[in-house]
Amino acid sequence: MEQKFIIYQMLLRVFGNTNENCVPNGSLSLNGTGKFSSVNDAVFDHLRTLGVSHIWYTGVIEHATCESFEEWGIRRDNPSVVKGIAGSPYAIKDYYDVNPYLADNVYNRMGEFEDLVLRTHNAGFKVVLDFVPNHLAREYNSDSIPYWANDFGIGDNQNNFSPDNNFYYIPGEMFSRGTYNERPAKATGNDCFSSTPSDNDWYETVKLNYGVDYLNGRSRHFNPIPKTWRMMHDILCFWASKGVDAFRCDMAELVPVEFWEWCIKEVKQKYPLLQFIAEVYNPSEYASYMYRGGFDYLYDKVGLYDTLKGISQNLSGRGWGPSASAVTGCWQSINDMQNRMLNFLENHDEQRIASDFNLGNPFRAIPSLAVSLMLNKAPFMLYFGQEVGESGMLEEGFSGRDGRTSIFDWCSAPSVVRLLKSIGHNPSNSTSALTREESELLKIYRGIFSFATSSKAITCGETFDLQYANFNNPSFDTGKCFVFARKFTPGEFDDSFHRGGNTIANAASAPSEVVIIAVDFSQSISSVKINLPQEFFRHWEIPFGKFNPYEQVEIVFDKYGVGILQFQY
């Protein structure tokens, strides 16, 4: 039975960094970093209050950085091809190692990661890890490669395309940036087949070759299986063997779907419970990557995320956006795929809700949170600090003041520092407890997540969109408000009955649960009266009585624009 789960995305080096005095462009020794050991029992306890089931540890696999770890036998990276001083977690330097700066003892860094996985599992959570298949660091250098594995670029034909090349080469041309020179130049990660990528390109990365000849009509050469396919398969199995439960696959749509079709099937033969989440932004490719490629879940960025952001900005006077009724089009456009989309309001790529570039106020997003979290059975993702309104408005260095928490700089997130201290991460220092607003927001998040994860109607029930029945309702403003219902009927496939030793007969006699959720994105309306159409009763076999077709039902909003009505039958 499909059931909602909650992912908490944690950029480890920032999440666990409790330095309140970080300076722009500061070094590791000056600004500090979070560690594997930063995730302790107090953190796990906090995540339980939010109903979290999966923790996405972002930035674990070793990436290029300007910091030196040469004394531990790790080759130094040229700073000319590193973004920021800390470096991007998506410029992978060694697929078979973890970042040395995350370890308390660099020599034991892999052991400390394995201990984190074990502690996470023992605390009742699953582990999600990044898999970056499309590109790697320009100075990729694996010093931890297993004896049975091959390294990238060995044996490549640098003069011509070959499906057994790991890279794409630009013969006769040089890539030059600062003190770094590369001949022949390699194609850049964002499909830039030029020896002179711009500052806006992913110049610090190199595109991997999966057998697609981009410069000759994108012809595909997949038989025999290209070398890169087998190498990536081995990397996935390496991390799965460490206990990783799921992979968030970076820019999956830049890698041919045929690779995923082959690889996911192969990997799941060894690790059948492993899950794959794809970062795909092109809706026309959704079905291909889900049904053919074999992904369990896809990002719902250009659909629900963009729509909710536009509605919220529009109704808070911070920009133009669609009306609240546009939410209906989000689920209609993907229909039966909606329960396998990953919903979110923040992640490392997007501007923080509380930033000046977005809503400027985290409370303005509570209606969006209610919709994104409860519209369907799809999993939901929280970005660290979202629950306390982290604004991402620091001038960290390379990232600049852009409304994002930097993934390129050594920095901390002020509200997260206060959160960690308030939950006992550092009980000896209570000078930076959560502000009143942060505490209030956290209480709201805990309340809405507690409700959502404890309600069967929300976690695994059906959805009925009630918006269409209220377009001609003078008591309901469809431009500002959205309303939908969720229903769960216990039955044969309800795992909770079987786990509790109950019989199918008991399940059949248990009442059905209906939850009606209405939101006011403008947060200016105290209550609404909604129409419940006859089809609502007929489709879900709801008996007449307490509520009837053509009668209006009143829903009262809280001060943040969310109203919930529950009943059983």
Side-chain angles (χ1 to χ4, degrees), residues 147-342:
Y147 71 90
W148 44 261
N150 295 315
D151 214 346
F152 289 89
I154 304 299
D156 274 12
N157 180 342
Q158 298 185 2
N159 296 311
N160 296 288
F161 168 82
S162 168
D164 269 339
N165 282 351
N166 289 133
F167 304 124
Y168 293 97
Y169 298 91
I170 307 171
E173 297 190 33
M174 176 185 288
F175 167 82
S176 181
R177 187 177 181 90
T179 60
Y180 178 80
N181 296 301
E182 173 186 283
R183 184 185 293 274
K186 302 184 186 77
T188 298
N190 58 321
D191 289 2
C192 176
F193 292 84
S194 167
S195 60
T196 56
S198 72
D199 288 349
N200 294 323
D201 289 308
W202 306 346
Y203 61 79
E204 81 282 21
T205 69
V206 172
K207 172 83 174 176
L208 282 167
N209 176 1
Y210 282 81
V212 179
D213 191 351
Y214 286 87
L215 301 184
N216 287 286
R218 293 178 177 256
S219 58
R220 288 160 134 72
H221 305 268
F222 301 152
N223 188 13
I225 298 297
K227 182 171 65 175
T228 301
W229 289 28
R230 298 192 183 280
M231 294 171 70
M232 286 302 186
H233 165 275
D234 292 346
I235 290 165
L236 284 166
C237 288
F238 173 82
W239 292 104
S241 73
K242 302 290 184 184
V244 172
D245 301 288
F247 291 100
R248 176 268 186 189
C249 300
D250 184 71
M251 295 307 298
E253 67 182 313
L254 293 184
V255 175
V257 70
E258 292 88 347
F259 163 74
W260 298 113
E261 180 182 22
W262 171 81
C263 188
I264 291 177
K265 188 180 300 180
E266 289 284 320
V267 173
K268 284 194 173 186
Q269 286 182 359
K270 297 180 181 179
Y271 302 96
L273 299 181
L274 201 62
Q275 293 181 311
F276 289 82
I277 304 166
E279 182 185 22
V280 177
Y281 294 129
N282 184 355
S284 67
E285 296 287 351
Y286 284 178
S288 178
Y289 278 80
M290 183 176 292
Y291 299 126
R292 182 179 179 184
F295 279 99
D296 298 286
Y297 301 95
L298 309 180
Y299 264 40
D300 196 358
K301 194 274 180 189
V302 300
L304 192 59
Y305 170 87
D306 281 349
T307 299
L308 291 174
K309 181 178 180 180
I311 295 170
S312 297
Q313 289 183 338
N314 179 29
L315 293 174
S316 61
R318 298 184 68 88
W320 181 90
S323 77
S325 295
V327 173
T328 295
C330 294
W331 69 261
Q332 287 180 335
S333 66
I334 55 177
N335 203 8
D336 61 343
M337 290 188 286
Q338 64 170 313
N339 291 320
R340 291 175 58 185
M341 304 298 290
L342 176 61

Side-chain angles (χ1 to χ4, degrees), residues 144 173 188 206 276 319 359 362 396 433 450 452 462 540:
S144 301
E173 297 190 33
T188 298
V206 172
F276 289 82
L359 294 181
E396 295 118 330
S450 175
E462 298 177 63
W540 280 349

Side-chain angles (χ1 to χ4, degrees), residues 401-415:
R401 192 187 301 272
D402 61 359
R404 299 176 179 87
T405 297
S406 177
I407 65 170
F408 305 108
D409 303 289
W410 302 111
C411 61
S412 61
S415 68

Side-chain angles (χ1 to χ4, degrees), residues 55 64 93 99 122 140 151 160 246 262 324 345 360 418 501 543 564:
I55 306 175
K93 176 181 178 176
N99 279 307
N122 287 343
Y140 184 90
D151 214 346
N160 296 288
W262 171 81
L345 297 183
R418 292 188 287 272
I564 296 176

Side-chain angles (χ1 to χ4, degrees), residues 36 72 98 103-115:
F36 293 129
W72 290 279
V98 298
D104 294 313
N105 178 351
V106 174
Y107 287 120
N108 188 40
R109 57 190 181 275
M110 186 61 76
E112 290 188 29
F113 169 72
E114 291 168 346
D115 181 63

